[in-house]
Amino acid sequence: MSEELNKKGYSADSIQALEGMEHVRMRPSMYIGDVGVRGLHHLVYEVVDNSIDEALAGHCDTITVTINEDNSITVTDNGRGIPVGMHKKEGVSALEVVMTKIGAGGKFDKDSYKVSGGLHGVGVSCVNALSEHLKATVHREGKIWEQEYERGKTQYPVKAIGNATDTGTIVTFKPDAEIFQQTREYNYDTLASRMRELAYLNKGITITLTDKRNKDEKGEFVGETFHSEEGLKEFIKFLDGNREPLIAEVIAMEGEKNGIPVEVAMVYNTSFNENLHSYVNNINTHEGGTHLSGFRRGLTNTLKKYADGSGMLDKLKFEISGDDFREGLTAIVSVKVAEPQFEGQTKTKLGNREVTAAVSQAVSQMLEDYLEEHPNDAKTIVQKVILAAQARHAARKAREMVQRKTVMSGGGLPGKLSDCSEQDPEKCEVFLVEGDSAGGTAKQGRDRNFQAILPLRGKILNVEKAMQHKVFENEEIRNIFTALGVTIGTEEDSKALNLEKLRYHKIVIMCDADVDGSHISTLILTFFFRYMKELIENGHVYIATPPLYLVKKGSKKSYAWDDKERDALVEQFGGGAGIQRYKGLGEMNAEQLWDTTMNPEFRTLRQVTIENGGEADRIFSMLMGDDVPPRREFIEKNAIYANIDA
Ligand code: 0RA
């Protein structure tokens, strides 16, 4: 440790720390992904993850997260408290090292097995660097210790400000407006869904979320407490609660294989969809990886062996494929890996080879036991698998029809598509428009150089409730496939998409701004989510936002997208302003539609993102199921769309 101080009184090491923090501020996206809504919420996850680690080490059971009135965040835990003593190597308190040294994390504590971690696992120091203000308070060794920072810069040495009888850590931070320019407003639902997920993934921990910006009917702050005694078993019930179960019980196991902690829970429902969710160290691995391969392998091998032995397959005239075993299956695989290697486009694909066998063995063992102990359920599952195989056979013909049409480029395009002249897919957009009449207006209003229009007839098929062959036989859906130019995978992996031939990099859903319109948007989104998830994951899917009102006075004319904007315009225009409410796209003429909704210079497109795969899955099953009231509530809240301008 160098004690040589420069003019400003910094030691060489603290200069290094400063430079690290400066780098985070210069290149924030390298550390937290982006500086939009996602990055903003990541700050919270990063801080909470430290507390989760403390809980996983067995020293803490309660974590609270508070959204304060000013959109600052407070995270508390009842752990041991971050050490405040002098850090030998750094020459300042350990707390200061954790808060100001990039990558310091809990490194100095060799006993702690760090398993959790934000998507980027960058540590609380990054949060500090990106906050205009951060205060760390530690209850430890009978005292309350405190240190504050501004944009990552220490304001004073750690000081004791009082006595404590308990232990724990409290971190309050306010995201820096210089960094988070787009928005600094926290979304309650986004935080709630992550905290709920964390509670299921780490059973026994209590996580309380409080929103001090809003009060409920009783005058209490909005909030929720998340706690799960049964972990993944309960998580599955939550995710699949809107579906009809095929078997009564959730099949679950928890254990360690080859030194890798593995947790698996699964259940079959009567739907035709496969829902696999996988986690590594509490991170949702959207792109799957070796743990998911292990799950598939264990499931297929065990069920196949059982089915073969049961004699139920004897009369079957064709082979059963891996897909057939997963129809109507909802499953969660959660592993903890000491040194995870993340690969793939979004770095959410586990690469560690050794994990496949560990998960596969765990799943085989769990399933063998279950099938043996539950012969009736076993029979029901095998029957479902046989039905799936038969349906897949029927679907193949329908799919081949789509395939043949898609492969023929140019001539194979649907008649209803008004294509654009540009050939470079990156520059091309296609608008999926509700109804032929709005389609006509859009066709007149568009810029035909790069904007294509595909009108869709009324309500498209609800794929959530349809078997695959019905989906591929549906004309509107076939039109979408052929217009987009994507081909559907092989029989073994019937939902793998080939995006290389994608003809438009922006796919814009344009529907009326009313409840029917949102229902149709949701039907289209459900189709994309179930059959073309990669399109959403790669950021190709957008929702257009037509205005709700036209406010007019004399020659003055302006559009409003909500009631607040409308009222502001009325006030601005003064007395006698007229208000026209657009009931649908059809009431706008071509020029108005271009000006407000299609012209890239003025429009707002909302990019559709999947922030939380499990939550998205649950939401779609709810929206498209039979239970209408929650659907309406959801559509009104529009919780799955990220508000990103494009
Ligand atoms: C390393 C060592 C010790 C505590 C922690 C890390 C710790 C870090 C965080 C971050 C948020 N909450 C936390 N709680 C604890 C303590 C080691 C000891 O007491 O022996």
Side-chain angles (χ1 to χ4, degrees):
M1 150 80 210
S2 162
E3 281 304 331
E4 212 175 300
L5 304 183
N6 75 355
K7 280 184 210 129
K8 283 182 180 164
Y10 293 121
S11 72
D13 282 358
S14 60
I15 286 179
Q16 233 177 9
L18 200 67
E19 281 170 354
M21 298 292 270
E22 276 309 313
H23 194 256
V24 178
R25 290 183 59 79
M26 262 155 41
R27 299 261 181 286
S29 306
M30 267 180 60
Y31 296 86
I32 57 160
D34 65 51
V35 289
V37 188
R38 247 183 233 235
L40 183 78
H41 289 77
H42 252 123
L43 300 182
V44 183
Y45 307 154
E46 206 59 60
V47 178
V48 171
D49 279 335
N50 288 300
S51 300
I52 296 271
D53 279 337
E54 184 68 358
L56 292 177
H59 302 290
C60 141
D61 63 7
T62 306
I63 299 169
T64 73
V65 177
T66 306
I67 312 169
N68 299 307
E69 261 176 295
D70 64 349
N71 270 293
S72 68
I73 297 282
T74 300
V75 177
T76 77
D77 69 56
N78 63 347
R80 291 167 296 177
I82 302 178
V84 290
M86 182 69 80
H87 190 272
K88 287 195 199 80
K89 184 166 160 278
E90 304 292 340
V92 292
S93 86
L95 174 63
E96 184 164 343
V97 175
V98 170
M99 288 297 164
T100 61
K101 199 146 168 103
I102 300 304
K107 255 189 207 160
F108 46 89
D109 184 19
K110 288 202 182 63
D111 298 337
S112 90
Y113 173 47
K114 189 173 167 59
V115 286
S116 93
L119 182 53
H120 305 269
V122 288
V124 69
S125 53
C126 285
V127 178
N128 193 13
L130 303 176
S131 296
E132 58 176 58
H133 184 259
L134 185 145
K135 180 157 94 179
T137 310
V138 172
H139 292 217
R140 195 180 156 90
E141 292 152 20
K143 291 213 154 44
I144 301 174
W145 310 87
E146 201 161 86
Q147 187 165 48
E148 286 173 77
Y149 321 83
E150 272 171 30
R151 305 198 161 89
K153 294 205 174 105
T154 305
Q155 299 301 293
Y156 52 81
V158 174
K159 64 182 179 196
I161 59 161
N163 297 323
T165 51
D166 57 352
T167 63
T169 304
I170 304 156
V171 173
T172 297
F173 67 92
K174 187 161 173 31
D176 189 356
E178 287 176 16
I179 305 284
F180 299 93
Q181 297 179 358
Q182 189 193 325
T183 176
R184 286 172 303 289
E185 193 154 326
Y186 277 103
N187 181 306
Y188 176 85
D189 291 333
T190 303
L191 292 181
S193 97
R194 176 61 179 159
M195 296 311 130
R196 181 183 298 112
E197 185 179 43
L198 282 173
Y200 284 130
L201 290 169
N202 306 281
K203 62 182 169 198
I205 306 179
T206 300
I207 308 177
T208 300
L209 176 64
T210 308
D211 188 348
K212 290 203 168 163
R213 301 167 305 181
N214 291 302
K215 287 187 178 163
D216 61 16
E217 314 84 52
K218 286 189 232 144
E220 281 160 26
F221 290 128
V222 170
E224 270 162 285
T225 295
F226 305 105
H227 175 93
S228 174
E229 276 302 317
E230 290 188 302
L232 296 194
K233 216 169 174 170
E234 279 178 282
F235 198 3
I236 285 273
K237 288 183 196 156
F238 173 73
L239 291 178
D240 238 32
N242 298 306
R243 296 199 180 90
E244 192 187 331
L246 185 75
I247 52 175
E249 256 183 80
V250 177
I251 311 172
M253 71 78 60
E254 183 185 347
E256 200 173 295
K257 283 270 172 238
N258 313 334
I260 302 164
V262 179
E263 265 189 274
V264 181
M266 54 179 267
V267 75
Y268 279 95
N269 58 59
T270 58
S271 86
F272 310 111
N273 300 311
E274 163 187 334
N275 294 299
L276 303 185
H277 304 287
S278 63
Y279 295 85
V280 174
N281 302 348
N282 290 333
I283 300 163
N284 191 330
T285 34
H286 292 282
E287 297 172 280
T290 50
H291 52 333
L292 207 53
S293 308
F295 173 80
R296 289 204 188 93
R297 186 191 289 174
L299 180 90
T300 305
N301 289 347
T302 312
L303 279 181
K304 200 161 184 2
K305 203 166 95 189
Y306 184 90
D308 281 336
S310 73
M312 288 170 74
L313 303 185
D314 292 354
K315 287 200 202 91
L316 207 65
K317 292 194 186 62
F318 38 81
E319 273 290 294
I320 298 218
S321 88
D323 268 1
D324 301 331
F325 290 105
R326 300 191 299 272
E327 201 181 273
L329 174 72
T330 298
I332 308 169
V333 180
S334 173
V335 296
K336 304 268 157 76
V337 180
E339 279 178 49
Q341 290 143 27
F342 290 112
E343 305 167 349
Q345 277 206 327
T346 55
K347 291 268 174 273
T348 57
K349 183 176 182 184
L350 185 68
N352 303 52
R353 296 267 129 231
E354 70 279 11
V355 179
T356 305
V359 178
S360 165
Q361 284 168 24
V363 170
S364 296
Q365 203 170 29
M366 163 185 92
L367 259 183
E368 272 168 29
D369 292 350
Y370 184 86
L371 296 172
E372 194 153 320
E373 286 162 26
H374 302 78
N376 288 335
D377 283 354
K379 206 169 147 193
T380 309
I381 293 170
V382 175
Q383 274 164 348
K384 165 106 177 156
V385 171
I386 293 172
L387 278 179
Q390 283 163 344
R392 176 174 49 86
H393 238 63
R396 191 170 67 182
K397 285 202 183 73
R399 191 166 51 237
E400 278 169 358
M401 288 278 291
V402 186
Q403 206 83 289
R404 230 174 284 134
K405 279 192 178 178
T406 316
V407 169
M408 291 191 302
S409 54
L413 291 173
K416 288 164 87 180
L417 176 76
S418 305
D419 208 1
C420 54
S421 48
E422 174 63 52
Q423 295 288 319
D424 178 2
E426 265 192 58
K427 295 181 187 147
C428 293
E429 306 177 347
V430 62
F431 285 78
L432 308 183
V433 189
E434 166 189 357
D436 288 332
S437 111
T441 316
K443 192 176 158 186
Q444 283 168 16
R446 68 174 173 154
D447 181 335
R448 61 166 60 242
N449 284 316
F450 68 99
Q451 291 179 321
I453 308 293
L454 180 65
L456 299 173
R457 201 187 311 131
K459 306 239 151 155
I460 81 157
L461 182 72
N462 180 357
V463 302
E464 193 68 31
K465 297 182 129 191
M467 290 179 81
Q468 246 193 57
H469 68 99
K470 288 282 177 206
V471 174
F472 290 118
E473 277 161 15
N474 181 274
E475 194 185 329
E476 304 300 314
I477 283 175
R478 291 226 298 240
N479 281 344
I480 297 178
F481 267 112
T482 31
L484 297 184
V486 294
T487 50
I488 320 145
T490 60
E491 197 175 332
E492 285 69 46
D493 195 357
S494 61
K495 288 182 183 174
L497 280 191
N498 180 359
L499 289 189
E500 272 163 42
K501 300 230 170 74
L502 181 64
R503 300 178 64 249
Y504 314 92
H505 280 204
K506 279 206 175 86
I507 299 155
V508 187
I509 301 169
M510 188 158 72
C511 294
D512 290 343
D514 61 8
V515 173
D516 264 356
S518 356
H519 190 196
I520 292 165
S521 304
T522 315
L523 284 167
I524 301 174
L525 275 178
T526 309
F527 164 65
F528 282 137
F529 183 69
R530 294 289 178 214
Y531 284 83
M532 298 192 177
K533 202 177 205 161
E534 292 94 329
L535 280 185
I536 302 182
E537 283 170 346
N538 289 311
H540 292 304
V541 182
Y542 297 84
I543 312 254
T545 56
L548 279 180
Y549 302 101
L550 172 65
V551 182
K552 262 202 295 209
K553 190 184 170 187
S555 60
K556 278 192 291 192
K557 224 168 56 160
S558 228
Y559 302 94
W561 273 260
D562 57 38
D563 294 2
K564 227 162 116 187
E565 274 180 8
R566 175 201 60 195
D567 297 344
L569 283 175
V570 170
E571 198 175 306
Q572 187 191 324
F573 286 3
I579 299 169
Q580 184 192 343
R581 186 185 156 107
Y582 288 122
K583 291 207 194 67
L585 298 169
E587 290 180 17
M588 267 183 263
N589 64 35
E591 195 191 333
Q592 288 168 327
L593 192 60
W594 165 255
D595 283 344
T596 59
T597 314
M598 298 179 75
N599 181 353
E601 257 188 83
F602 302 116
R603 73 185 178 193
T604 300
L605 292 185
R606 293 194 294 171
Q607 190 176 36
V608 179
T609 60
I610 306 175
E611 205 45 61
N612 183 328
E615 189 73 1
D617 170 45
R618 193 186 67 87
I619 284 169
F620 279 115
S621 69
M622 167 185 84
L623 288 175
M624 297 299 127
D626 298 313
D627 194 12
V628 181
R631 177 195 308 163
R632 174 122 329 139
E633 186 190 326
F634 166 78
I635 288 171
E636 278 153 19
K637 274 170 86 179
N638 270 332
I640 54 157
Y641 309 140
N643 254 314
I644 298 174
D645 273 6

